[in-house]
Amino acid sequence: MTMMPNAAAVRFHDQHPPAASLSLRDELLQGLRASPKTSSPKFFYDLRGSELFDRICVQPEYYPTRTEEAILRDAADDIAHVVGKDATLIELGSGASRKVRLLLEAVRPTSYLGIDISRDFLLDSTRRLAADYPWLDVHAACADFSQCMTMPAGMKCEHPVAFFPGSSIGNFSPDEADTFLRGLHSLLPSGSGMLIGVDLIKDEAILNAAYNDAAGVTAAFNLNLLERMRHEFDGDLDPATFSHYAFYNDAHSRIEMHLVSDINQDIRVAGEVFHFEQGETLHTENSYKYSVEGFQTLAAGAGFESRALWTDPDRLFSIHYLQRTG
Ligand code: AVI
């Protein structure tokens, strides 16, 4: 269904992502029943988790956000040249639509489509975008881009360019990333572009510091998952009996985040009891890091050829422009 919200400048397409609470609960319980215990990173992002994530992005140790923004700012004209004219920028998981602002004046796309699962947040940020860039045809689609996504009916889109910043692809396993890229390949017509931010493999000390900031914001972000279990999933547990644990796993080229139980204990979530030994962990997130070549190989396997690459002088972060082949 397509309808006009109050602010006339945004066209809103509600793709009705499945009302999640039951499936979310089931997914959470399934992870807690598994051995070792796991939880999807998407459980981090309730309101408090999203606020904490915004605070992580400005911590001095968390280099990805400011480095990617600097690359986008410095390379905006170059990016515009590679992207070409009459683009429709499609931002996947658009959130606050903040990073795309660094490109809009240079790229001058004809239209912008922000896709996000959080309806109110999406509407608010795309309305602000439409107000600030009156020449831009702004669309918003409420959908879970990682599950299923179709282009909104009736949207004219001559030269689609997917925009996926933030190294969010790093929160997928390489197999999931491959499936995700293949899904985009089947959605986008031949010749479409993709501008994607990918965090790079680097000195372990820099990586470990980024996920263990001195102010304890990443720890609070991780531990907030337990608060969410208490409030949203009828959890009976004491968050103070768990600790944040994040480290770089060199063999898998990924940061792992865990919640470690400091004691032997039973917790109850949604009516079910789960036992934790002292020192046992709930694995809450992986954040994969790639070499430039490693990512290009992954993308090529899913049908996207590398056309351009930008990095910062310290090669902390990369932005790739890929083209859909076939
Ligand atoms: C959203 N994502 C790319 C972040 C990352 O770095 O993997 C999430 C995050 N987790 C802890 N700090 C930041």
Side-chain angles (χ1 to χ4, degrees):
M1 181 181 57
T2 301
M3 64 180 196
M4 299 291 286
N6 300 339
V10 176
R11 267 178 277 181
F12 178 61
H13 312 267
D14 198 341
Q15 300 193 334
H16 301 288
S21 42
L22 187 62
S23 55
L24 267 185
R25 197 194 72 145
D26 286 350
E27 197 179 330
L28 182 70
L29 292 176
Q30 220 169 49
L32 284 166
R33 285 180 205 131
S35 178
K37 296 178 174 65
T38 58
S39 158
S40 160
K42 71 180 169 198
F43 288 105
F44 287 137
Y45 298 94
D46 62 354
L47 187 61
R48 169 107 180 108
S50 301
E51 284 166 6
L52 285 165
F53 179 64
D54 285 349
R55 283 180 52 204
I56 288 175
C57 291
V58 295
Q59 292 310 302
E61 299 90 340
Y62 193 74
Y63 61 85
T65 310
R66 63 169 182 279
T67 309
E68 183 179 44
E69 288 178 357
I71 299 171
L72 288 171
R73 218 173 276 120
D74 293 349
D77 289 340
D78 232 17
I79 292 173
H81 181 72
V82 176
V83 166
K85 288 191 183 316
D86 300 323
T88 292
L89 285 184
I90 304 167
E91 185 165 6
L92 309 171
S94 52
S97 301
R98 207 158 55 89
K99 287 179 186 159
V100 76
R101 288 171 178 261
L102 300 170
L103 292 178
L104 287 177
E105 287 300 347
V107 174
R108 284 258 158 184
T110 42
S111 46
Y112 168 84
L113 169 64
I115 302 175
D116 206 285
I117 195 160
S118 168
R119 189 179 183 280
D120 293 340
F121 199 43
L122 173 74
L123 272 176
D124 184 52
S125 48
T126 46
R127 279 174 181 159
R128 276 188 280 116
L129 200 70
D132 293 344
Y133 299 87
W135 47 266
L136 186 65
D137 182 22
V138 178
H139 297 250
C142 182
D144 180 354
F145 70 85
S146 69
Q147 298 280 304
C148 68
M149 201 199 94
T150 50
M151 287 300 282
M155 185 177 166
K156 219 172 95 212
C157 187
E158 274 172 35
H159 173 33
V161 176
F163 181 48
F164 195 34
S167 200
S168 296
I169 194 145
N171 295 131
F172 294 142
S173 69
D175 276 354
E176 289 165 343
D178 177 67
T179 304
F180 170 71
L181 292 173
R182 284 174 194 270
L184 278 179
H185 187 271
S186 55
L187 181 75
L188 297 169
S190 183
S192 300
M194 173 153 44
L195 197 57
I196 182 164
V198 182
D199 198 8
L200 295 175
I201 294 170
K202 60 184 64 64
D203 184 345
E204 274 189 36
I206 298 176
L207 286 164
N208 284 324
Y211 293 82
N212 290 284
D213 59 276
V217 183
T218 307
F221 174 73
N222 197 9
L223 288 158
N224 180 59
L225 178 62
L226 299 166
E227 296 291 352
R228 187 171 185 194
M229 281 185 199
R230 286 177 64 203
H231 298 129
E232 233 174 281
F233 300 100
D234 196 20
D236 185 6
L237 57 99
D238 180 2
T241 60
F242 287 85
S243 304
H244 165 73
Y245 177 44
F247 67 97
Y248 184 64
N249 181 332
D250 189 30
H252 291 282
S253 307
R254 69 189 188 200
I255 285 281
E256 292 187 14
M257 290 219 309
H258 296 255
L259 289 163
V260 189
S261 177
D262 299 328
I263 54 171
N264 270 317
Q265 61 178 320
D266 289 332
I267 66 165
R268 185 182 288 270
V269 180
E272 213 171 308
V273 175
F274 300 96
H275 181 74
F276 280 81
E277 293 292 319
Q278 181 178 19
E280 187 180 348
T281 78
L282 172 62
H283 188 163
T284 51
E285 186 178 61
N286 288 318
S287 188
Y288 283 84
K289 311 301 169 187
Y290 289 89
S291 65
V292 163
E293 302 70 29
F295 184 72
Q296 287 171 339
T297 303
L298 176 78
F304 286 94
E305 256 174 29
S306 173
R307 289 277 180 263
L309 168 78
W310 299 272
T311 64
D312 54 294
D314 298 325
R315 280 182 91 85
L316 296 176
F317 201 89
S318 61
I319 296 177
H320 299 246
Y321 187 75
L322 308 169
Q323 199 169 49
R324 183 207 188 275
T325 55

